[in-house]
Amino acid sequence: MVTLEKVREAAARLEGVAYHTPVMTSRAIDDLAGRQLVFKCENLQKVGAFKFRGAWNAVASLSDAEAARGVCTHSSGNHAQALALAAQMRGITAHIVMPENVAPIKLSAVEGYGAAITLCEPTLEARETALAKLLHESGAVLVHPYNDAHIIAGQGTAALELLAQAELDAIITPVGGGGLLSGTCIATRGTAPEVALYGAEPAGADDAAQSLASGELVPQLAPDTICDGLLTSLGELTWPILRDHLAGIITVDDDAVRQAMRLLWERMELLVEPSGAIGLAAVLSPGFQSDAQRVGVILTGGNVDLVKFFQE
Amino acid sequence: MVTLEKVREAAARLEGVAYHTPVMTSRAIDDLAGRQLVFKCENLQKVGAFKFRGAWNAVASLSDAEAARGVCTHSSGNHAQALALAAQMRGITAHIVMPENVAPIKLSAVEGYGAAITLCEPTLEARETALAKLLHESGAVLVHPYNDAHIIAGQGTAALELLAQAELDAIITPVGGGGLLSGTCIATRGTAPEVALYGAEPAGADDAAQSLASGELVPQLAPDTICDGLLTSLGELTWPILRDHLAGIITVDDDAVRQAMRLLWERMELLVEPSGAIGLAAVLSPGFQSDAQRVGVILTGGNVDLVKFFQE
C-alpha cells in the first residue's frame, strides 16, 4: 500500500537527484481563469517530466542483487527516458521495449541515456511478447510506468513540494494510468486534507471519468486524442486511490488542449506537450465548477515534437 | 554610478515582484562542455527575460510626480514588454515607440500589457523623431533599455541570485547594449571577486569584442546576426564597467547559436531565443579558453517565433 510515509521516503531518495521544480504564475492566465493558478513546472524536471521522480525512486529502492539484473519496461514516452536515465545514474542496464514506428527523436533520447532498446511491431501483443521474452532472458526487474507502489510514491513527491511552495484550495493533474494523480492524492490527503483533488483527462480517452461515474474500473478502448501520454487505462493500484480521494475528473477536447499549450507558451514561455498542458485546459473549461480560488496545476512533459505540432 | 548597494536596493524592490528564477544543470551538456555548467533560467522570468528586473527597478524608483507622467522608450523587443508590464503594475502609462514592421506577436504582447504604442517607419531616424515628439507631448520619463543606472542595477540582481544558488569560477552572459553584463560585473565584483566574467556576442555584431580589443568604445554598424536582441552598441554607462571588469568577450557565429538552442531544447526542455542561448554557444566554442570548472550561464529570452525558427 502506498502511504504518506512512502512518499516522504521517496522525497528523501530524490533529494539532490531530482529538481525541486519551480512554481510559476501568470496574471494574464489568472484573469482568464477567474482564479489564482499556481503552476508546478514538472516540465522542467529531469527528462522533462515528473516521470523521473517515480523511476528514480523505483531504481534506488532495488537491492544490490536486484539492481545487478537491470530493469526493464515497455514505453515509447517519458517513462522510457526516465527509467533509462535512472538506470544510468545507478550504473545498471535499462532494457526498453519500443514499437518500431517510434519517433526517431524519442528513440535517440532513450539511446542517449545508454538504454538497451528492443524494437517490436507496434501492437500491444507484440509489445507484451517482446517484454516477456526480455524478462525471461535478462532476468531484469520490471518497472511498470504507473501500476507500481514505488512509482506512485515517487510521483507523489511533486505534490509534496507544491504544497510547501503555495497555499492551495485544489490541485489538478493530468490522468492517464493514474500514477501522478494517485501519488498526488496520497501526498495531499496526508498533509493538506482540505485541498480538493481533480484529474484532467482527454475527452477521447476518458476511462478515468467513466470509471469514477460507474464506480468501477472501466478500461480504455480505442483512445483518440493528441494527448499521447494519456492513452492508457487506470491500473489496479491507482484506481482505488482515485476512487476514494478525487473531487472529480474534468474532460476536455483536443482543441482546448491546444489552446492551453499556446497560452502557456505565449504568456509564460513554457512549452509543454499536450498531455502536460491538459490541467490548464481543464481549469479553464466550463466543466470545472469548483469554487476553489487557489488552484495548483501540475504541468509536465516538455517533449513536444516542435516541427510536427506547429505545422498543424 | 552603479554600485553593489544599488544592486541590493534593486533586489529589495524586486522581492515578491520578479521571480527568483531556478538554476538548472544537464549532465549531457556538461559532458560536451568538459565543465560543470549552471544555467540561470531568466528565460523563465516575467515577460520571458531578465529585462523585467531593470524595468521594474526603474519604474519603482520613480517619485509619484515622475510616475504620474508615465514612462516611454523605443523598443521592439523584450524591453518593451518589460517596461509595459512594470508600468501596468504601478498603474501608470507606458508609451512605446515601435517600428511599423514589428512582428504582430510582439505588438500584441506589448498591447496586452496595456501600453500606448506609437508606430513609426523602421529607421533609426524615424524612431528618434517619434520618441522626441512623444517625450515632448507626454512629458513621460524616458527609460533607456540599458544605458540607465536603475536598469543596470536591476539586471545585476540576476547574478546576485545566481551567486547565492551555486559556487562558480566564472559567469557568462549575452552582451548587446551591455546592461545585463555590466550589472553582472557590479554584482559579482562586490560579492565574489574571484569569479571571472565573460560576455558572449554574435560574430556579426561584435562591437563589444572590438571595443575591448581597442580599449575604446567602438559603435556597432550594420549588424548581421539572428540574435536580434544583441544588435545595439554599448552605452556610455555600460562600456567603462565592462572595460574594467571583463576577462573577455567570446564571439560565435549564428550556426553555433542555433546548435546551442537545439541542445537547450533537446536536453533541458528549455526553448530560448537566439540572443538568450548565445552564452552556451560561447562556452562550447573553441574561443572559450578559460580554465574555469564551474561556469554560470545566464539564459534569457523565451520569445522565440516558433514557426519562423523551425521552418529554416
Side-chain angles (χ1 to χ4, degrees):
Chain A
M1 210 179 94
V2 189
T3 60
L4 177 61
E5 200 191 339
K6 298 288 182 197
V7 180
R8 291 206 164 120
E9 287 170 12
R13 288 190 192 99
L14 286 161
E15 193 59 41
V17 178
Y19 293 127
H20 285 242
T21 53
V23 294
M24 298 183 73
T25 59
S26 162
R27 294 203 317 163
I29 297 179
D30 284 359
D31 287 347
L32 285 174
R35 313 170 194 264
Q36 194 182 329
L37 305 185
V38 178
F39 296 96
K40 175 69 170 164
C41 295
E42 285 296 296
N43 56 308
L44 301 174
Q45 187 51 267
K46 288 192 175 165
V47 313
F50 70 90
K51 298 274 185 183
F52 178 72
R53 296 176 181 267
W56 176 254
N57 190 45
V59 167
S61 300
L62 296 174
S63 69
D64 286 347
E66 290 169 324
R69 290 154 47 200
V71 289
C72 69
T73 200
H74 63 77
S75 165
S76 57
N78 294 320
H79 177 61
Q81 292 186 45
L83 190 65
L85 175 58
Q88 185 185 53
M89 290 169 72
R90 186 154 177 186
I92 65 177
T93 304
H95 303 270
I96 314 280
V97 175
M98 301 181 104
E100 59 197 13
N101 62 351
V102 65
I105 191 174
K106 292 191 174 181
L107 185 70
S108 70
V110 173
E111 279 178 339
Y113 295 124
I117 296 173
T118 303
L119 293 176
C120 69
E121 286 180 41
T123 65
L124 185 60
E125 197 188 345
R127 234 183 194 205
E128 289 180 346
T129 306
L131 188 66
K133 188 159 174 278
L134 206 151
L135 279 166
H136 179 70
E137 289 173 3
S138 69
V141 178
L142 176 65
V143 182
H144 191 277
Y146 54 88
N147 211 44
D148 175 302
H150 285 115
I151 293 288
I152 294 170
Q155 319 306 32
T157 62
L160 264 197
E161 280 177 25
L162 171 57
L163 290 163
Q165 288 167 307
E167 199 167 329
L168 299 171
D169 305 313
I171 297 178
I172 188 162
T173 88
V175 57
L180 175 63
L181 186 50
S182 61
T184 299
C185 286
I186 302 294
T188 305
R189 274 296 157 267
T191 54
E194 73 288 1
V195 173
L197 297 164
Y198 294 87
E201 193 175 42
D206 65 345
D207 59 306
Q210 289 189 35
S211 299
L212 216 62
S214 71
E216 48 190 60
L217 205 169
V218 177
Q220 180 62 52
L221 307 170
D224 178 17
T225 170
I226 57 168
C227 300
D228 60 5
L230 306 177
L231 304 180
T232 49
S233 300
L234 298 178
E236 287 163 27
L237 280 183
T238 56
W239 156 241
I241 301 174
L242 302 191
R243 181 193 60 205
D244 293 348
H245 294 293
L246 286 193
I249 298 272
I250 316 299
T251 58
V252 289
D253 65 22
D254 286 355
D255 273 348
V257 171
R258 285 194 189 92
Q259 283 171 33
M261 287 178 72
R262 189 168 286 270
L263 269 178
L264 289 168
W265 171 248
E266 292 185 354
R267 293 300 179 172
M268 299 182 71
E269 334 297 334
L270 298 175
L271 188 57
V272 300
E273 61 183 81
S275 307
I278 195 170
L280 173 58
V283 168
L284 294 177
S285 78
F288 189 64
Q289 295 284 344
S290 164
D291 57 5
Q293 275 309 299
R294 297 159 303 178
V295 181
V297 180
I298 300 189
L299 300 179
T300 178
N303 292 310
V304 179
D305 184 341
L306 287 169
V307 178
K308 197 170 167 186
F309 180 71
F310 287 94
Q311 271 172 352
E312 279 179 7
Chain B
M1 211 179 93
V2 189
T3 59
L4 177 60
E5 199 191 338
K6 297 288 182 198
V7 180
R8 292 204 164 121
E9 288 170 10
R13 288 191 193 100
L14 287 161
E15 192 59 40
V17 178
Y19 294 128
H20 285 242
T21 53
V23 295
M24 298 183 72
T25 58
S26 161
R27 296 205 314 165
I29 298 180
D30 285 358
D31 287 347
L32 284 175
R35 315 170 193 264
Q36 195 183 328
L37 305 185
V38 178
F39 296 95
K40 175 68 170 166
C41 296
E42 285 296 296
N43 55 308
L44 302 174
Q45 188 51 267
K46 289 192 174 165
V47 312
F50 70 90
K51 298 274 185 182
F52 179 72
R53 295 176 181 268
W56 177 253
N57 191 45
V59 167
S61 300
L62 296 173
S63 70
D64 286 346
E66 289 169 325
R69 290 154 48 200
V71 288
C72 70
T73 199
H74 62 79
S75 164
S76 57
N78 294 320
H79 177 62
Q81 290 186 46
L83 190 65
L85 175 59
Q88 187 185 52
M89 289 170 73
R90 185 152 178 187
I92 64 177
T93 304
H95 303 270
I96 313 280
V97 175
M98 302 182 104
E100 58 197 13
N101 62 351
V102 64
I105 190 173
K106 293 191 174 181
L107 185 71
S108 70
V110 172
E111 278 178 339
Y113 295 124
I117 296 173
T118 302
L119 293 175
C120 68
E121 286 180 40
T123 65
L124 185 60
E125 197 188 344
R127 235 185 194 204
E128 289 180 345
T129 306
L131 188 65
K133 187 158 174 279
L134 206 151
L135 278 166
H136 178 71
E137 289 173 2
S138 70
V141 179
L142 176 65
V143 181
H144 191 276
Y146 53 89
N147 211 43
D148 175 303
H150 284 115
I151 294 287
I152 295 171
Q155 320 304 34
T157 61
L160 264 197
E161 279 177 27
L162 171 57
L163 290 163
Q165 288 167 305
E167 201 169 325
L168 299 171
D169 304 315
I171 297 177
I172 189 163
T173 87
V175 57
L180 175 62
L181 186 50
S182 61
T184 300
C185 286
I186 302 294
T188 306
R189 275 295 158 269
T191 54
E194 73 288 0
V195 173
L197 297 164
Y198 294 88
E201 194 176 41
D206 65 346
D207 59 305
Q210 288 189 36
S211 299
L212 216 62
S214 69
E216 48 191 57
L217 204 172
V218 177
Q220 180 62 52
L221 307 172
D224 179 17
T225 170
I226 57 168
C227 299
D228 60 5
L230 306 177
L231 304 180
T232 49
S233 302
L234 298 177
E236 286 161 28
L237 280 182
T238 56
W239 156 240
I241 300 174
L242 302 191
R243 182 193 60 204
D244 294 348
H245 294 293
L246 287 194
I249 298 272
I250 316 299
T251 58
V252 289
D253 65 22
D254 285 355
D255 274 349
V257 171
R258 286 196 189 91
Q259 284 171 33
M261 286 177 72
R262 188 168 286 271
L263 268 177
L264 290 167
W265 171 247
E266 292 185 354
R267 293 299 180 172
M268 300 183 70
E269 335 296 335
L270 297 175
L271 189 57
V272 299
E273 62 181 81
S275 308
I278 196 170
L280 173 58
V283 167
L284 294 176
S285 78
F288 189 63
Q289 295 283 343
S290 164
D291 57 4
Q293 275 308 299
R294 297 161 302 179
V295 181
V297 180
I298 301 188
L299 299 179
T300 179
N303 293 311
V304 180
D305 184 340
L306 288 169
V307 178
K308 198 169 167 186
F309 180 71
F310 287 94
Q311 273 172 350
E312 282 181 3

